[in-house]
Amino acid sequence: MSKILFLTTAHKYNDDRIFFHQAKELRGLGYDVKICSLSSEYKGVIDGIEIESYSVLDESTNRKLKIFEKVCDDFQPDCIICSEPLAVVASKKIKQQRKVSIIYDITEWYPSKRMVENFSFFLKGVHAIKFFLIQLYAGWLSTHFIFGEKTKKFPLSNVFPLKKNIILPYFPNDIYIHQSIKELEPNKITLCYTGQISKEKGIENFFKAIDTLRKKRPSLKIEILIIGSSRKEKDEKYFSHLLSKYQWENIRIERPTSFETFTETYADADICFDLREMNYENHHCLPIKIFYYAASGKPVIYTDLKATRQHVDVSKFGVLIDPEDDHGIAEAVINYIDNPELYRGHALNARKEYEKKYNWNLIKNLFTDFIKQSIH
């Protein structure tokens, strides 16, 4: 059977999309599958998938390229699935030596804001152009594209319209879903935030909305569940400042858990939130936990982003809103509290929408057929 190699710099070897969905699906069909990541240290075999992972994110580009090139030389894959431009560039050598398909799986907006945030104002533009050109170069080297969502097709699908591509959303496999459809308790609500804790991801918008909700309904018992962590020291300090500012009771903060148990961690939540900032990059990036919330049976309140509108009919099980409209967000929560039948309907609809539109079984053959065709 053919050999398939996943190369990724920023994603861990046990990334939900790469390991738990794509790699496992291919391994289940009999392919010889290997994952090489540069963000964490591990070597071994998990569920029949070979892992060769290194913690070298802070090392030089040349060092990273050499690691990827050696892995390619040793494994001799028939197909390489790359998650970032550097992985594509590293595949160039083996592509020149033998016929191999290089599939670029575009799941991140590139270049992202975080890639240029440490440069001065003038250098931000210079480096943004440099990274954009690297993206085009990776597109030229690739033989096929997988786009995580329609809003990420630009610019590669425009510059290389003849290259075969598919859109492969981030739909969950039901084996990783814990259903927890709830009915609201009188005069009580549990509100949930998960993921990276930062201003850009909307933690302050979440707190402001809760503060406004408390003022509008002072007798309401509000429980707050936060599952996540801050990646940067400045974000950790910022979060500590918010906690000191509001000093709420009934707030539970938990560290991120394993992917397999993620949907169990927010089982107590009544409503799940994502109130990230509105900006150009966010408008082109779909917050993928929405599919997991839907699968669990959780109504959601989300930022009204272009990508979300294009890919999900949120009106069936939640609300899209301006993330800075704390009064509007509070009123959306109150509407659920005052109309428990609406809440119940949205909770049931969330699960139904997932089963009909947003689950892995609906798209897995699209993925595996695309890989087969790229090899033969």
Side-chain angles (χ1 to χ4, degrees):
M1 190 57 111
S2 301
K3 293 182 173 183
I4 299 175
L5 174 64
F6 289 84
L7 297 180
T8 177
T9 55
H11 299 286
K12 292 185 177 179
Y13 65 86
N14 58 349
D15 174 79
D16 60 335
R17 180 178 176 90
I18 295 172
F19 179 81
F20 286 99
H21 290 85
Q22 296 179 347
K24 281 199 169 188
E25 199 65 49
L26 293 168
R27 179 59 187 160
L29 294 178
Y31 288 98
D32 189 356
V33 181
K34 180 170 183 173
I35 298 173
C36 179
S37 166
L38 302 183
S39 64
S40 58
E41 196 75 28
Y42 184 85
K43 291 180 181 63
V45 177
I46 304 175
D47 295 340
I49 299 166
E50 184 181 353
I51 309 293
E52 185 174 344
S53 183
Y54 300 86
S55 182
V56 294
L57 269 183
D58 295 328
E59 297 192 24
S60 68
T61 298
N62 189 52
R63 164 76 168 142
K64 296 172 188 174
L65 286 171
K66 286 187 180 300
I67 290 174
F68 277 154
E69 288 173 355
K70 185 179 185 304
V71 170
C72 288
D73 287 340
D74 292 343
F75 189 62
Q76 290 292 300
D78 301 290
C79 171
I80 305 174
I81 303 176
C82 305
S83 298
E84 298 89 10
L86 183 66
V88 177
V89 174
S91 306
K92 176 184 176 181
K93 182 179 176 182
I94 195 169
K95 182 187 177 186
Q96 293 171 338
Q97 295 171 348
R98 55 193 292 265
K99 187 176 181 180
V100 57
S101 59
I102 300 177
I103 301 175
Y104 184 11
D105 185 9
I106 299 100
T107 62
E108 304 291 338
W109 184 254
Y110 192 95
S112 67
K113 285 173 56 181
R114 65 179 177 273
M115 294 175 67
V116 298
E117 66 181 357
N118 293 327
F119 297 107
S120 66
F121 178 79
F122 173 74
L123 289 179
K124 274 184 171 64
V126 173
H127 282 84
I129 293 171
K130 181 187 77 172
F131 291 133
F132 180 77
L133 293 175
I134 293 172
Q135 174 81 327
L136 293 182
Y137 182 53
W140 180 70
L141 290 174
S142 304
T143 60
H144 300 70
F145 299 130
I146 296 176
F147 296 104
E149 56 234 66
K150 293 177 184 177
T151 43
K152 291 200 177 93
K153 291 186 73 173
F154 176 83
L156 296 184
S157 66
N158 304 82
V159 179
F160 307 103
L162 300 182
K163 293 195 177 187
K164 293 183 179 179
N165 69 84
I166 58 169
I167 295 173
L168 188 78
Y170 313 89
F171 297 166
N173 188 324
D174 206 48
I175 64 175
Y176 305 119
I177 300 300
H178 174 73
Q179 285 191 57
S180 48
I181 297 172
K182 294 185 65 182
E183 293 189 13
L184 291 182
E185 297 180 35
N187 207 41
K188 178 186 175 185
I189 196 85
T190 301
L191 309 179
C192 179
Y193 174 109
T194 72
Q196 183 181 340
I197 299 175
S198 68
K199 186 177 190 300
E200 193 269 339
K201 293 297 183 181
I203 188 64
E204 184 175 5
N205 293 329
F206 181 61
F207 274 43
K208 283 183 177 179
I210 292 173
D211 188 51
T212 300
L213 176 62
R214 286 179 179 275
K215 292 172 181 175
K216 287 176 177 283
R217 291 289 174 94
S219 63
L220 177 67
K221 182 180 180 182
I222 302 173
E223 295 192 351
I224 303 164
L225 174 60
I226 297 176
I227 304 164
S229 61
S230 302
R231 294 183 182 175
K232 300 177 182 178
E233 186 178 351
K234 69 172 186 178
D235 293 329
E236 191 171 339
K237 290 180 179 178
Y238 176 73
F239 183 46
S240 296
H241 166 71
L242 289 177
L243 292 174
S244 298
K245 177 180 178 181
Y246 291 103
Q247 295 186 340
W248 288 325
E249 297 178 353
N250 302 320
I251 181 168
R252 180 156 51 103
I253 302 170
E254 297 185 1
R255 301 287 296 176
T257 185
S258 66
F259 170 73
E260 300 99 312
T261 60
F262 169 65
T263 58
E264 297 176 21
T265 61
Y266 59 81
D268 293 338
D270 294 311
I271 305 172
C272 293
F273 289 76
D274 193 307
L275 299 173
R276 64 187 64 193
E277 295 178 348
M278 281 183 169
N279 55 48
Y280 185 81
E281 183 175 330
N282 281 346
H283 269 298
H284 289 79
C285 297
L286 176 66
I288 61 176
K289 289 190 184 77
I290 195 168
F291 300 121
Y292 291 82
Y293 296 150
S296 300
K298 301 298 183 186
V300 301
I301 297 178
Y302 259 56
T303 296
D304 187 9
L305 297 175
K306 176 183 176 181
T308 309
R309 289 197 306 270
Q310 282 195 9
H311 292 85
V312 190
D313 184 3
V314 179
S315 66
K316 298 287 184 65
F317 60 94
V319 178
L320 291 180
I321 200 162
D322 180 345
E324 296 183 7
D325 182 8
D326 51 292
H327 288 277
I329 296 165
E331 287 298 329
V333 175
I334 289 170
N335 193 34
Y336 278 132
I337 294 168
D338 291 346
N339 298 280
E341 70 284 353
L342 172 66
Y343 177 86
R344 179 67 176 172
H346 275 199
L348 294 172
N349 283 346
R351 179 66 193 183
K352 289 177 183 176
E353 289 292 291
Y354 158 74
E355 291 174 348
K356 290 191 302 180
K357 300 178 183 178
Y358 308 127
N359 73 80
W360 176 246
N361 282 335
L362 298 175
I363 60 172
K364 65 181 183 181
N365 289 339
L366 170 69
F367 169 66
T368 54
D369 289 346
F370 187 71
I371 301 302
K372 290 177 189 175
Q373 293 164 10
S374 77
I375 296 173
H376 300 297

